[in-house]
Amino acid sequence: WNVGLLAAAVGEEELRVMLEEAREAAFVTAGVTVEEEVIINQETLDEGVFDPLLAQRLLALGVPVQLTDGTLQMLSAEYVVCRAGDELKPEQAKLLQLMGRKLGEFSVELNAVWTRGEGLKELA
């Protein structure tokens, strides 16, 4: 969790709406617990998720692939990147990023507001 200070010239309700609208999918980082399973199989490779030039990078990240005639081929039926409930390792987070899979969410949670009239109001 990160903490910050936001100054805005709008009321609490309008700010809540703005923050809710600002939510968006984000790549997860190492240490984050994911809520879904992600698997790489031949179909994933055939869909063009990975550029064939990434073959060595994928191997370094533990994915059993080989480059054959410019095409990525799986050396096993499937490779589990992560399962629901896994706390991600750096290699898993990097694979998800290379796949374009955003399993996290960027959002700002409003914990307190300060106004001239009321002072500090904690929102719990």
Side-chain angles (χ1 to χ4, degrees):
W1 295 89
N2 294 315
V3 177
L5 177 65
L6 171 68
V10 296
E12 179 183 337
E13 267 316 300
E14 187 176 348
L15 183 57
R16 284 182 185 277
V17 170
M18 290 170 58
L19 293 176
E20 186 62 35
E21 291 173 352
R23 289 178 178 266
E24 65 179 59
F27 291 113
V28 289
T29 57
V32 170
T33 301
V34 293
E35 298 179 5
E36 67 180 83
E37 181 175 77
V38 177
I39 295 174
I40 298 172
N41 55 29
Q42 189 59 50
E43 183 178 333
T44 307
L45 299 181
D46 292 343
E47 290 172 355
V49 172
F50 298 112
D51 187 306
L53 298 175
L54 290 175
Q56 291 301 315
R57 183 74 188 267
L58 293 172
L59 282 169
L61 291 170
V63 183
V65 296
Q66 71 179 12
L67 190 58
T68 306
D69 297 326
T71 304
L72 286 172
Q73 300 293 320
M74 289 294 295
L75 296 176
S76 64
E78 64 182 26
Y79 176 80
V80 178
V81 177
C82 60
R83 297 190 189 282
D86 281 356
E87 185 175 303
L88 289 184
K89 296 177 181 147
E91 298 82 7
Q92 293 168 300
K94 187 61 182 174
L95 276 170
L96 291 170
Q97 184 180 14
L98 289 172
M99 295 177 76
R101 296 291 303 267
K102 296 180 178 183
L103 302 185
E105 180 183 72
F106 170 80
S107 64
V108 177
E109 181 180 330
L110 196 58
N111 294 323
V113 294
W114 181 88
T115 61
R116 286 189 182 147
E118 298 177 32
L120 182 66
K121 174 177 142 185
E122 292 192 35
L123 303 174

mmCIF file of all heavy atoms in Angstrom, residues 98-124:
data_model
loop_
_atom_site.group_PDB
_atom_site.id
_atom_site.type_symbol
_atom_site.label_atom_id
_atom_site.label_comp_id
_atom_site.label_asym_id
_atom_site.label_seq_id
_atom_site.Cartn_x
_atom_site.Cartn_y
_atom_site.Cartn_z
ATOM 1 N N LEU A 98 4.629 -9.289 -19.973
ATOM 2 C CA LEU A 98 4.918 -9.613 -21.374
ATOM 3 C C LEU A 98 3.668 -10.092 -22.109
ATOM 4 O O LEU A 98 3.521 -9.885 -23.308
ATOM 5 C CB LEU A 98 6.012 -10.686 -21.459
ATOM 6 C CG LEU A 98 7.425 -10.234 -21.076
ATOM 7 C CD1 LEU A 98 8.356 -11.435 -21.017
ATOM 8 C CD2 LEU A 98 7.938 -9.191 -22.048
ATOM 9 N N MET A 99 2.752 -10.734 -21.373
ATOM 10 C CA MET A 99 1.500 -11.212 -21.956
ATOM 11 C C MET A 99 0.465 -10.102 -22.087
ATOM 12 O O MET A 99 -0.571 -10.285 -22.707
ATOM 13 C CB MET A 99 0.906 -12.339 -21.095
ATOM 14 C CG MET A 99 1.731 -13.592 -21.049
ATOM 15 S SD MET A 99 1.009 -14.827 -19.941
ATOM 16 C CE MET A 99 -0.340 -15.421 -20.972
ATOM 17 N N GLY A 100 0.730 -8.976 -21.438
ATOM 18 C CA GLY A 100 -0.250 -7.887 -21.446
ATOM 19 C C GLY A 100 -1.394 -8.126 -20.488
ATOM 20 O O GLY A 100 -2.439 -7.483 -20.592
ATOM 21 N N ARG A 101 -1.218 -9.037 -19.529
ATOM 22 C CA ARG A 101 -2.274 -9.383 -18.570
ATOM 23 C C ARG A 101 -2.208 -8.473 -17.353
ATOM 24 O O ARG A 101 -1.262 -8.505 -16.590
ATOM 25 C CB ARG A 101 -2.147 -10.843 -18.118
ATOM 26 C CG ARG A 101 -2.347 -11.868 -19.208
ATOM 27 C CD ARG A 101 -3.783 -11.946 -19.705
ATOM 28 N NE ARG A 101 -4.736 -12.222 -18.684
ATOM 29 C CZ ARG A 101 -5.166 -13.439 -18.356
ATOM 30 N NH1 ARG A 101 -4.720 -14.481 -19.000
ATOM 31 N NH2 ARG A 101 -6.047 -13.599 -17.399
ATOM 32 N N LYS A 102 -3.210 -7.654 -17.193
ATOM 33 C CA LYS A 102 -3.299 -6.738 -16.060
ATOM 34 C C LYS A 102 -4.250 -7.341 -15.027
ATOM 35 O O LYS A 102 -5.457 -7.266 -15.173
ATOM 36 C CB LYS A 102 -3.793 -5.371 -16.527
ATOM 37 C CG LYS A 102 -2.832 -4.686 -17.472
ATOM 38 C CD LYS A 102 -3.350 -3.336 -17.908
ATOM 39 C CE LYS A 102 -2.338 -2.655 -18.812
ATOM 40 N NZ LYS A 102 -2.797 -1.315 -19.195
ATOM 41 N N LEU A 103 -3.680 -7.953 -14.007
ATOM 42 C CA LEU A 103 -4.483 -8.618 -12.981
ATOM 43 C C LEU A 103 -4.709 -7.743 -11.761
ATOM 44 O O LEU A 103 -5.390 -8.141 -10.829
ATOM 45 C CB LEU A 103 -3.813 -9.931 -12.547
ATOM 46 C CG LEU A 103 -3.563 -10.967 -13.637
ATOM 47 C CD1 LEU A 103 -3.000 -12.246 -13.041
ATOM 48 C CD2 LEU A 103 -4.824 -11.262 -14.420
ATOM 49 N N GLY A 104 -4.127 -6.564 -11.759
ATOM 50 C CA GLY A 104 -4.282 -5.655 -10.633
ATOM 51 C C GLY A 104 -5.146 -4.470 -11.005
ATOM 52 O O GLY A 104 -5.668 -4.375 -12.118
ATOM 53 N N GLU A 105 -5.304 -3.585 -10.059
ATOM 54 C CA GLU A 105 -6.101 -2.387 -10.299
ATOM 55 C C GLU A 105 -5.431 -1.200 -9.631
ATOM 56 O O GLU A 105 -5.008 -1.284 -8.474
ATOM 57 C CB GLU A 105 -7.505 -2.557 -9.722
ATOM 58 C CG GLU A 105 -8.382 -1.348 -9.929
ATOM 59 C CD GLU A 105 -9.746 -1.499 -9.287
ATOM 60 O OE1 GLU A 105 -9.823 -1.447 -8.047
ATOM 61 O OE2 GLU A 105 -10.720 -1.662 -10.033
ATOM 62 N N PHE A 106 -5.312 -0.111 -10.373
ATOM 63 C CA PHE A 106 -4.857 1.145 -9.794
ATOM 64 C C PHE A 106 -6.090 1.873 -9.284
ATOM 65 O O PHE A 106 -7.068 2.050 -10.016
ATOM 66 C CB PHE A 106 -4.143 2.025 -10.825
ATOM 67 C CG PHE A 106 -3.889 3.408 -10.304
ATOM 68 C CD1 PHE A 106 -2.817 3.648 -9.461
ATOM 69 C CD2 PHE A 106 -4.745 4.447 -10.620
ATOM 70 C CE1 PHE A 106 -2.597 4.918 -8.950
ATOM 71 C CE2 PHE A 106 -4.532 5.722 -10.112
ATOM 72 C CZ PHE A 106 -3.452 5.951 -9.273
ATOM 73 N N SER A 107 -6.053 2.265 -8.028
ATOM 74 C CA SER A 107 -7.159 3.034 -7.473
ATOM 75 C C SER A 107 -6.635 3.893 -6.328
ATOM 76 O O SER A 107 -5.564 3.636 -5.779
ATOM 77 C CB SER A 107 -8.277 2.110 -6.965
ATOM 78 O OG SER A 107 -7.794 1.315 -5.896
ATOM 79 N N VAL A 108 -7.395 4.902 -5.990
ATOM 80 C CA VAL A 108 -7.062 5.769 -4.869
ATOM 81 C C VAL A 108 -8.206 5.672 -3.877
ATOM 82 O O VAL A 108 -9.366 5.872 -4.230
ATOM 83 C CB VAL A 108 -6.865 7.238 -5.326
ATOM 84 C CG1 VAL A 108 -6.584 8.141 -4.131
ATOM 85 C CG2 VAL A 108 -5.745 7.324 -6.356
ATOM 86 N N GLU A 109 -7.860 5.333 -2.652
ATOM 87 C CA GLU A 109 -8.858 5.211 -1.589
ATOM 88 C C GLU A 109 -8.822 6.470 -0.727
ATOM 89 O O GLU A 109 -7.755 6.887 -0.274
ATOM 90 C CB GLU A 109 -8.537 3.984 -0.728
ATOM 91 C CG GLU A 109 -9.519 3.757 0.384
ATOM 92 C CD GLU A 109 -9.155 2.537 1.209
ATOM 93 O OE1 GLU A 109 -8.556 1.599 0.654
ATOM 94 O OE2 GLU A 109 -9.463 2.546 2.409
ATOM 95 N N LEU A 110 -9.952 7.055 -0.521
ATOM 96 C CA LEU A 110 -10.053 8.274 0.278
ATOM 97 C C LEU A 110 -10.203 7.891 1.748
ATOM 98 O O LEU A 110 -11.165 7.234 2.132
ATOM 99 C CB LEU A 110 -11.274 9.076 -0.205
ATOM 100 C CG LEU A 110 -11.394 10.520 0.199
ATOM 101 C CD1 LEU A 110 -10.181 11.309 -0.263
ATOM 102 C CD2 LEU A 110 -12.653 11.123 -0.400
ATOM 103 N N ASN A 111 -9.209 8.246 2.571
ATOM 104 C CA ASN A 111 -9.221 7.881 3.986
ATOM 105 C C ASN A 111 -9.656 9.026 4.898
ATOM 106 O O ASN A 111 -10.134 8.797 5.994
ATOM 107 C CB ASN A 111 -7.836 7.404 4.434
ATOM 108 C CG ASN A 111 -7.450 6.112 3.763
ATOM 109 O OD1 ASN A 111 -8.275 5.245 3.543
ATOM 110 N ND2 ASN A 111 -6.184 5.993 3.416
ATOM 111 N N ALA A 112 -9.433 10.254 4.454
ATOM 112 C CA ALA A 112 -9.784 11.416 5.266
ATOM 113 C C ALA A 112 -9.912 12.628 4.356
ATOM 114 O O ALA A 112 -9.350 12.647 3.254
ATOM 115 C CB ALA A 112 -8.724 11.669 6.330
ATOM 116 N N VAL A 113 -10.678 13.609 4.811
ATOM 117 C CA VAL A 113 -10.790 14.866 4.077
ATOM 118 C C VAL A 113 -10.622 16.014 5.080
ATOM 119 O O VAL A 113 -10.907 15.871 6.266
ATOM 120 C CB VAL A 113 -12.152 15.012 3.344
ATOM 121 C CG1 VAL A 113 -12.280 13.986 2.250
ATOM 122 C CG2 VAL A 113 -13.316 14.921 4.307
ATOM 123 N N TRP A 114 -10.131 17.108 4.557
ATOM 124 C CA TRP A 114 -9.991 18.306 5.376
ATOM 125 C C TRP A 114 -10.667 19.447 4.635
ATOM 126 O O TRP A 114 -10.454 19.637 3.437
ATOM 127 C CB TRP A 114 -8.523 18.657 5.616
ATOM 128 C CG TRP A 114 -8.360 19.876 6.467
ATOM 129 C CD1 TRP A 114 -8.311 19.921 7.822
ATOM 130 C CD2 TRP A 114 -8.242 21.218 6.002
ATOM 131 N NE1 TRP A 114 -8.180 21.215 8.249
ATOM 132 C CE2 TRP A 114 -8.131 22.041 7.140
ATOM 133 C CE3 TRP A 114 -8.243 21.818 4.756
ATOM 134 C CZ2 TRP A 114 -8.013 23.415 7.073
ATOM 135 C CZ3 TRP A 114 -8.119 23.200 4.681
ATOM 136 C CH2 TRP A 114 -8.000 23.977 5.832
ATOM 137 N N THR A 115 -11.512 20.160 5.331
ATOM 138 C CA THR A 115 -12.140 21.353 4.763
ATOM 139 C C THR A 115 -11.953 22.497 5.746
ATOM 140 O O THR A 115 -11.763 22.282 6.958
ATOM 141 C CB THR A 115 -13.649 21.145 4.511
ATOM 142 O OG1 THR A 115 -14.300 20.862 5.762
ATOM 143 C CG2 THR A 115 -13.899 20.015 3.531
ATOM 144 N N ARG A 116 -12.016 23.711 5.222
ATOM 145 C CA ARG A 116 -11.855 24.883 6.099
ATOM 146 C C ARG A 116 -12.949 24.936 7.150
ATOM 147 O O ARG A 116 -12.707 25.280 8.287
ATOM 148 C CB ARG A 116 -11.872 26.159 5.269
ATOM 149 C CG ARG A 116 -10.618 26.344 4.503
ATOM 150 C CD ARG A 116 -10.560 27.703 3.851
ATOM 151 N NE ARG A 116 -9.324 27.765 3.085
ATOM 152 C CZ ARG A 116 -9.172 28.419 1.982
ATOM 153 N NH1 ARG A 116 -10.167 29.121 1.489
ATOM 154 N NH2 ARG A 116 -8.033 28.408 1.358
ATOM 155 N N GLY A 117 -14.135 24.578 6.759
ATOM 156 C CA GLY A 117 -15.252 24.676 7.690
ATOM 157 C C GLY A 117 -15.274 23.591 8.747
ATOM 158 O O GLY A 117 -15.596 23.835 9.905
ATOM 159 N N GLU A 118 -14.918 22.366 8.398
ATOM 160 C CA GLU A 118 -15.022 21.228 9.314
ATOM 161 C C GLU A 118 -13.689 20.719 9.835
ATOM 162 O O GLU A 118 -13.653 19.916 10.757
ATOM 163 C CB GLU A 118 -15.753 20.077 8.638
ATOM 164 C CG GLU A 118 -17.174 20.403 8.235
ATOM 165 C CD GLU A 118 -17.833 19.233 7.506
ATOM 166 O OE1 GLU A 118 -17.512 18.080 7.801
ATOM 167 O OE2 GLU A 118 -18.666 19.509 6.631
ATOM 168 N N GLY A 119 -12.600 21.110 9.221
ATOM 169 C CA GLY A 119 -11.300 20.582 9.627
ATOM 170 C C GLY A 119 -11.129 19.151 9.121
ATOM 171 O O GLY A 119 -11.661 18.783 8.068
ATOM 172 N N LEU A 120 -10.402 18.330 9.875
ATOM 173 C CA LEU A 120 -10.105 16.964 9.456
ATOM 174 C C LEU A 120 -11.252 16.023 9.806
ATOM 175 O O LEU A 120 -11.765 16.045 10.917
ATOM 176 C CB LEU A 120 -8.823 16.472 10.143
ATOM 177 C CG LEU A 120 -8.384 15.073 9.758
ATOM 178 C CD1 LEU A 120 -7.967 15.011 8.275
ATOM 179 C CD2 LEU A 120 -7.222 14.607 10.640
ATOM 180 N N LYS A 121 -11.643 15.223 8.816
ATOM 181 C CA LYS A 121 -12.703 14.240 9.025
ATOM 182 C C LYS A 121 -12.176 12.893 8.507
ATOM 183 O O LYS A 121 -11.921 12.741 7.312
ATOM 184 C CB LYS A 121 -13.952 14.659 8.255
ATOM 185 C CG LYS A 121 -15.070 13.664 8.262
ATOM 186 C CD LYS A 121 -16.277 14.254 7.525
ATOM 187 C CE LYS A 121 -16.992 13.239 6.709
ATOM 188 N NZ LYS A 121 -18.074 13.801 5.894
ATOM 189 N N GLU A 122 -11.931 11.945 9.434
ATOM 190 C CA GLU A 122 -11.476 10.618 9.024
ATOM 191 C C GLU A 122 -12.668 9.801 8.551
ATOM 192 O O GLU A 122 -13.747 9.860 9.115
ATOM 193 C CB GLU A 122 -10.772 9.928 10.189
ATOM 194 C CG GLU A 122 -9.447 10.608 10.536
ATOM 195 C CD GLU A 122 -8.591 9.810 11.464
ATOM 196 O OE1 GLU A 122 -8.596 8.577 11.355
ATOM 197 O OE2 GLU A 122 -7.905 10.432 12.293
ATOM 198 N N LEU A 123 -12.455 9.053 7.481
ATOM 199 C CA LEU A 123 -13.550 8.330 6.840
ATOM 200 C C LEU A 123 -13.568 6.825 7.141
ATOM 201 O O LEU A 123 -14.400 6.116 6.643
ATOM 202 C CB LEU A 123 -13.506 8.569 5.338
ATOM 203 C CG LEU A 123 -13.564 10.024 4.917
ATOM 204 C CD1 LEU A 123 -13.355 10.167 3.418
ATOM 205 C CD2 LEU A 123 -14.890 10.654 5.328
ATOM 206 N N ALA A 124 -12.640 6.356 7.902
ATOM 207 C CA ALA A 124 -12.533 4.942 8.304
ATOM 208 C C ALA A 124 -12.457 4.033 7.187
ATOM 209 O O ALA A 124 -12.718 3.507 6.372
ATOM 210 C CB ALA A 124 -13.668 4.544 9.257
#
